[in-house]
Amino acid sequence: MTAPISLAAAHEPRTAEVSRDTAETKIKVRLNLDGTGESKLATGIGFFDHMLDQIARHGLIDLDVQCEGDLHIDGHHTVEDVGIAIGQAVRQAVGDKRGLTRYGHSYVPLDEALSRVVVDFSGRPGLVLDAKFTSGMIGQLDTQLIHEFFQGFVNHALVTLHIDNLKGANAHHQAETMFKAFGRALRMALERDPRMAGTIPSTKGTL
């Protein structure tokens, strides 16, 4: 029989700090999964910072991302590597997943746009993203890179993630509903379930 975790341990904030330095990017990520949604973001791509803020605010995750990337080339390395670093930090902060709700989902509208996100902290990386953006660029962010961000995240957080933009005519609205729904789905999945305290939410006994 698995010993239950103590009440004190159940309320310890789940935090992580990750540094990722390559020839293309230098990134520092700090996060608290049990935060209040505060963010400090500097990636060099304004709209990308705005989207990361949606994850923090709607996921109630305190998120600090500082990135120096090779933006003189394009935004690809910056966006993908930030996704990787955030994924690594989330995986570190989650730990062994005892007491985790595990699954989360959310629908979020913004005017004419509507997106659905479903996440499973399965231990298996997988991404299905269906979005037909109506514009190739939103500010300085290439909309193709939204897929790269989430791919980097799932590969290193080890989650299964389904993202569907169901409706939308404005690309800004399409992206914002996706990131807001992602934040809210994360919040649900990362909640500690008191009935699951000390238990890993899988019939296999491991995730």
Side-chain angles (χ1 to χ4, degrees):
M1 180 180 294
T2 304
I5 57 176
S6 69
L7 186 61
H11 291 286
E12 290 177 1
R14 295 167 292 179
T15 62
E17 182 172 336
V18 167
S19 294
R20 176 181 169 84
D21 291 349
T22 73
E24 299 165 341
T25 58
K26 297 186 185 304
I27 301 171
K28 289 187 182 296
V29 171
R30 297 181 182 88
L31 59 76
N32 177 2
L33 300 181
D34 302 299
T36 60
E38 297 295 320
S39 65
K40 182 180 178 183
L41 307 164
T43 66
I45 303 174
F47 186 76
F48 186 40
D49 288 348
H50 182 45
M51 293 300 96
L52 296 177
D53 187 44
Q54 304 307 320
I55 297 173
R57 189 70 55 89
H58 295 278
L60 290 183
I61 297 169
D62 292 342
L63 182 61
D64 183 341
V65 178
Q66 307 299 312
C67 176
E68 297 178 14
D70 54 0
L71 295 178
H72 61 287
I73 297 175
D74 69 6
H76 191 288
H77 300 141
T78 291
V79 174
E80 180 181 27
D81 288 4
V82 166
I84 290 171
I86 293 177
Q88 290 173 335
V90 167
R91 183 181 177 189
Q92 179 182 321
V94 167
D96 66 6
K97 305 176 188 175
R98 292 184 188 276
L100 200 70
T101 298
R102 176 176 168 175
Y103 299 99
H105 63 271
S106 181
Y107 285 82
V108 169
L110 176 56
D111 297 343
E112 88 298 342
L114 175 67
S115 289
R116 174 184 61 213
V117 173
V118 184
V119 64
D120 173 14
F121 276 78
S122 60
R124 300 182 302 278
L127 173 66
V128 178
L129 191 156
D130 185 3
K132 298 175 179 62
F133 288 104
T134 59
S135 175
M137 297 292 293
I138 311 172
Q140 295 176 309
L141 179 67
D142 182 341
T143 53
Q144 294 182 94
L145 300 184
I146 291 174
H147 184 283
E148 301 307 315
F149 168 78
F150 285 114
Q151 189 69 69
F153 175 84
V154 302
N155 285 348
H156 293 268
L158 300 185
V159 302
T160 301
L161 181 63
H162 288 251
I163 301 175
D164 295 282
N165 174 239
L166 303 174
K167 298 178 181 179
N170 180 294
H172 184 133
H173 293 173
Q174 289 176 287
E176 189 161 333
T177 57
M178 291 163 61
F179 278 85
K180 284 179 175 177
F182 175 63
R184 292 192 66 85
L186 279 183
R187 178 180 171 184
M188 180 185 291
L190 291 168
E191 285 291 325
R192 292 180 170 111
D193 184 342
R195 296 176 63 192
M196 290 289 293
T199 304
I200 293 173
S202 171
T203 55
K204 294 190 293 292
T206 184
L207 284 172

